[in-house]
């Protein structure tokens, strides 16, 4: 297998031949760490110390939620499943940082606990969920770390389910947090929509004469930025004030991460400004319509010798607002691609290169099924291989 490329002529897309060199719009933020990505194109719009290892505080809870979402999707966990609040867990977490105000002996459902984690940032809810799923929090963090490896979070490690300071065992980077947010949105869209944009949550305590407690979502973008629908704030003395957020406008979805800010008010102000800059200072440039074929890829040992490469969705590049730069399109795939191939399978990428901006990589999928070749087809391919044909 070898990497195949095809570069398209300039006429493939509309360009301005005399366009000056393109530069990213300027942006300044007091946040020590900041990262902004357009998920619609994969373009990184801003990166400031994005690979620095740092404590995530409550942003670690996104991984706890992602693991639970995965288990719900596979049928291993049910939303109506209930887990008891152990006395030991209550003693450890009823007054440690953010809390759902769970009581000893209560049996909240998975649905309740996820709302308590996402909306209220409940440290107690995280540990009750972790213990309910895996028996111990330590066993659950093993699951978190396995999920992190699967998602390619190469600079992250989780030692707790809730991000409480643990002498440095738990660490992340802004780039990894953005990957985790993107995976949550992509892999679990229905659950993401169900849990991540609730404005508030009331935990209806049922023991004794305690009254239900209503708490507001801490997400600083909700109600302030159009299309905002997640994800998670975080704060400890060690980490400062941080936030991983997302919003979608006119088909463009952005994910942002900020960390190390001094106050919750500064976090809110800077998060809103950062997200609004991402939508205002950048634009989507249409590249390829959904279902349109741009090229073919060679197939190995298949019922056909090639397969069409098409856009799985309307593909766009992200460019500075108002710019009409020269663009070069390159199809890249590792091939020939071995059969069988399923229609819609991601088998190639369309790389968009523009002056002075990082390349943007967009997915291309197979236009049709390609079955394995029969006996005579494989034999003929082997014979041709012997003669170098």
């Amino acid at each position: 297998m070898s990497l195949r490329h095809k570069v398209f002529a300039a006429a493939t897309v509309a360009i301005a031949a005399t366009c000056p060199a393109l530069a990213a719009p300027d942006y300044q933020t007091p946040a020590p760490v900041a990262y902004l990505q357009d998920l619609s194109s994969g373009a990184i719009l801003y990166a400031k110390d994005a690979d620095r290892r740092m404590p995530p505080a409550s942003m670690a809870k996104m991984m706890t939620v992602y693991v639970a979402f995965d288990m719900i999707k596979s049928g291993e966990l049910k939303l109506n499943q209930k887990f008891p609040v152990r006395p030991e867990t209550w003693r450890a977490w009823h007054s440690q940082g953010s809390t759902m105000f769970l009581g000893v002996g209560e049996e909240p459902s998975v649905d309740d606990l996820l709302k308590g984690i996402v909306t209220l940032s409940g440290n107690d809810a995280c540990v009750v969920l972790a213990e309910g799923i895996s028996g111990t929090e330590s066993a659950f963090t093993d699951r978190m770390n396995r999920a992190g490896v699967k998602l390619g979070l190469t600079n992250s490690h989780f030692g707790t389910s809730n991000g409480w300071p643990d002498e440095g065992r738990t660490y992340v980077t802004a780039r990894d947090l953005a990957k985790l947010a993107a995976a949550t949105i992509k892999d679990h869209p229905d659950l993401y929509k169900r849990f991540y944009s609730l404005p508030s949550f009331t935990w209806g305590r049922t023991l004794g004469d305690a009254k239900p407690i209503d708490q507001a979502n801490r997400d600083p973008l909700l109600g302030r930025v159009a299309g905002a629908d997640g994800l998670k704030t975080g704060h400890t003395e060690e980490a400062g004030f941080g936030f991983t957020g997302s919003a979608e406008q006119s088909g463009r979805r952005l994910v942002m991460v900020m960390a190390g800010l001094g106050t919750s008010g500064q976090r809110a102000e800077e998060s809103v400004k950062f997200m609004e800059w991402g939508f205002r200072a950048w634009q989507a440039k249409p590249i390829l319509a959904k279902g349109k074929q741009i090229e073919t890829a060679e197939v190995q040992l298949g019922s056909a010798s090639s397969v069409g490469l098409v856009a799985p969705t309307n593909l766009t590049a992200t460019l500075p607002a108002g710019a009409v730069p020269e663009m070069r399109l390159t199809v890249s795939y590792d091939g020939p691609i071995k059969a069988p191939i399923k229609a819609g399978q991601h088998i190639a990428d369309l790389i968009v290169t523009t002056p002075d901006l990082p390349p943007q990589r967009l997915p291309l999928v197979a236009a049709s099924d390609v079955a394995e070749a029969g006996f005579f087809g494989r034999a003929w391919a082997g014979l041709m291989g012997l003669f170098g044909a």
Side-chain angles (χ1 to χ4, degrees), residues 298-356:
E298 297 175 52
V299 175
Q300 181 181 35
L301 300 178
S303 57
S305 61
S306 66
V307 63
L309 299 174
V310 302
T313 60
N314 292 330
L315 299 183
T316 61
T318 304
L319 305 173
V324 189
E326 180 180 353
M327 289 189 288
R328 186 177 74 161
L329 304 183
T330 307
V331 169
S332 176
Y333 66 94
D334 192 13
I337 301 166
K338 190 174 181 180
I341 300 168
K342 291 291 186 182
Q345 182 180 334
H346 179 194
I347 57 174
D349 290 308
L350 181 63
I351 301 170
V352 182
T353 307
T354 54
D356 296 336

Side-chain angles (χ1 to χ4, degrees), residues 106-321:
E106 290 183 313
E107 292 191 352
S109 67
V110 170
D111 184 85
D112 292 328
L113 291 170
L114 287 172
K115 289 172 182 173
I117 294 168
V118 173
T119 308
L120 313 182
S121 199
N123 291 324
D124 52 352
C126 276
V127 179
V128 170
L129 182 67
E131 292 176 341
I133 289 172
S134 297
T136 66
E137 186 181 19
S138 176
F140 184 80
T141 58
D142 288 342
R143 295 189 75 137
M144 295 172 70
N145 287 311
R146 289 196 299 272
V149 170
K150 183 179 177 183
L151 293 175
L153 308 189
T154 55
N155 274 310
S156 296
H157 183 268
F158 300 92
T160 71
S161 62
N162 54 28
W164 192 256
D166 60 358
E167 300 180 337
R169 289 187 297 276
T170 298
Y171 56 84
V172 296
T173 66
R175 196 182 306 272
D176 278 359
L177 286 174
K179 285 183 184 178
L180 175 56
T184 301
I185 295 164
K186 177 185 174 184
D187 297 346
H188 305 291
D190 293 338
L191 290 168
Y192 175 76
K193 183 177 180 181
R194 176 182 180 122
F195 289 102
Y196 266 104
S197 57
L198 294 176
S200 64
F201 178 57
T202 301
W203 174 238
R205 305 180 74 181
T206 57
L207 300 180
D209 58 357
K211 295 180 179 179
I213 299 173
D214 184 71
Q215 298 182 70
N217 194 322
R218 294 169 171 81
D219 185 330
L221 301 185
L222 292 181
R224 298 182 66 186
V225 173
D229 54 10
L231 296 156
K232 193 72 196 71
T233 57
H235 169 249
T236 61
E237 290 298 320
E238 177 188 26
F241 290 84
F243 175 59
T244 300
S246 185
E248 185 174 23
Q249 295 181 14
S250 302
R252 288 181 62 207
R253 177 171 286 281
L254 306 186
V255 165
M256 61 153 288
V257 181
M258 278 190 164
L261 291 162
T263 67
S264 60
Q266 187 184 40
R267 174 178 62 192
E269 180 181 357
E270 291 300 321
S271 295
V272 170
K273 286 166 55 178
F274 197 33
M275 186 64 79
E276 289 183 337
W277 173 81
F279 284 116
R280 183 184 65 252
W282 298 83
Q283 65 179 348
K285 171 71 175 178
I287 298 294
L288 193 64
K290 179 179 179 179
K292 184 171 181 178
Q293 180 170 316
I294 191 170
E295 185 50 83
T296 60
E298 297 175 52
V299 175
Q300 181 181 35
L301 300 178
S303 57
S305 61
S306 66
V307 63
L309 299 174
V310 302
T313 60
N314 292 330
L315 299 183
T316 61
T318 304
L319 305 173

